[in-house]
Amino acid sequence: MSTIPKVTEHYVARQEGGRVYYYKTGRGTPLVFVPGGSGRSFRNVTHNFANHFTCYVLDLPGADRSDLPRSWIATKNWTIPDYTMAVMEVLDHIGIQHCDLIGDHTGAMIALDIAANYPNRVQRLVLDSLPYWDLRRGEIVWESSYKHQYTDVDSYDVPVSSLLPSWERMKETEPDLTLEEWQIRDELIRRDRRWHHVHMYANSHFDTEALGPKVKAQTLLIYGEREVLRRGELRALNGI
């Protein structure tokens, strides 16, 4: 009879970027979960892996329990490779030299970047809803889907995220939304309303198609049946 694995919480203090949060559970070979933002997105699945793997679940820099990166605060610039370096620092700090990776949305882009540029560190790769585009397609996505979200500006006329509607109002358009999920989103936006804009700009201005042919690890691609990112599914399947 299996028991519920113990969960321990940790922080890694990066030299240039503030603290990155992760929690650890399970036993076995290392399995690292890289979310699109908060590691809470994996909270309903990690127990399925914990009897076979030692699971490490991160909050990305700037998300949930991790700090806003100090380097971004100083430069107001952030990219997917910056996320990659943060994750690699965490792995080095823990002492993980070889692992399996599960990435979700932006986390899938980061996991792909790690597998392409640090092939000796990754054995197997699971990419959930990977945005697979080149810079031209990414710019189109930015202009058509993301840019119009940032209708507010700060005192320096920099585009920022609008504050969220109330939980009750958002439930009308997102019926599966929980109060906890709304609170996390609301807290992150209020922490620094520019960060989400920077995060989505980095996401849409990164060439994942260029990385696909470099990946040698066994890779599983997952897309929801009605997932809009499936428009890049065949390119990803043929490119990785």
Side-chain angles (χ1 to χ4, degrees), residues 97-101 111 114-115 118-125 217:
Q97 295 301 313
H98 200 61
C99 67
D100 298 326
L101 284 174
I114 294 172
Y118 303 90
N120 61 321
R121 304 290 293 268
V122 181
Q123 180 176 341
R124 291 174 295 188
L125 197 58

Side-chain angles (χ1 to χ4, degrees), residues 39-215:
R40 296 180 206 259
S41 60
F42 292 117
R43 65 188 180 280
N44 293 325
V45 300
T46 49
H47 67 279
N48 295 317
F49 296 91
N51 287 322
H52 307 282
F53 300 91
T54 302
C55 300
Y56 300 85
V57 185
L58 283 64
D59 286 345
L60 289 186
D64 207 351
R65 294 151 291 193
S66 291
D67 294 339
L68 283 165
R70 287 196 297 268
S71 56
W72 172 77
I73 294 171
T75 65
K76 297 297 182 282
N77 183 48
W78 192 257
T79 65
I80 295 297
D82 289 325
Y83 278 128
T84 297
M85 291 307 300
V87 173
M88 294 304 297
E89 279 191 45
V90 171
L91 299 186
D92 290 342
H93 177 88
I94 298 171
I96 297 175
Q97 295 301 313
H98 200 61
C99 67
D100 298 326
L101 284 174
I102 296 180
D104 172 52
H105 287 80
T106 300
M109 302 176 93
I110 299 164
L112 186 77
D113 194 27
I114 294 172
N117 291 302
Y118 303 90
N120 61 321
R121 304 290 293 268
V122 181
Q123 180 176 341
R124 291 174 295 188
L125 197 58
V126 177
L127 304 175
D128 177 28
S129 299
L130 170 70
Y132 199 75
W133 49 49
D134 57 15
L135 294 178
R136 180 186 65 83
R137 289 191 177 95
E139 177 65 24
I140 291 171
V141 171
W142 169 257
E143 292 290 337
S144 63
S145 301
Y146 296 154
K147 188 176 180 179
H148 70 272
Q149 299 178 25
Y150 306 103
T151 54
D152 290 1
V153 294
D154 64 12
S155 57
Y156 296 97
D157 290 329
V158 175
V160 296
S161 296
S162 301
L163 295 176
L164 290 181
S166 68
W167 178 60
E168 291 80 6
R169 188 172 169 196
M170 284 192 70
K171 284 279 286 185
E172 296 175 4
T173 55
E174 298 184 49
D176 295 330
L177 184 72
T178 67
L179 177 59
E180 180 189 36
E181 290 168 337
W182 177 85
Q183 288 172 332
I184 291 170
R185 290 192 209 175
D186 185 64
E187 189 276 330
L188 289 177
I189 288 175
R190 291 178 185 276
R191 182 193 295 184
D192 193 307
R193 295 174 65 189
R194 290 168 296 179
W195 176 251
H196 190 264
H197 178 275
V198 169
H199 171 83
M200 296 310 297
Y201 188 88
N203 176 299
S204 56
H205 291 79
F206 184 64
D207 190 348
T208 45
E209 286 193 18
L211 295 177
K214 299 179 182 179
V215 174

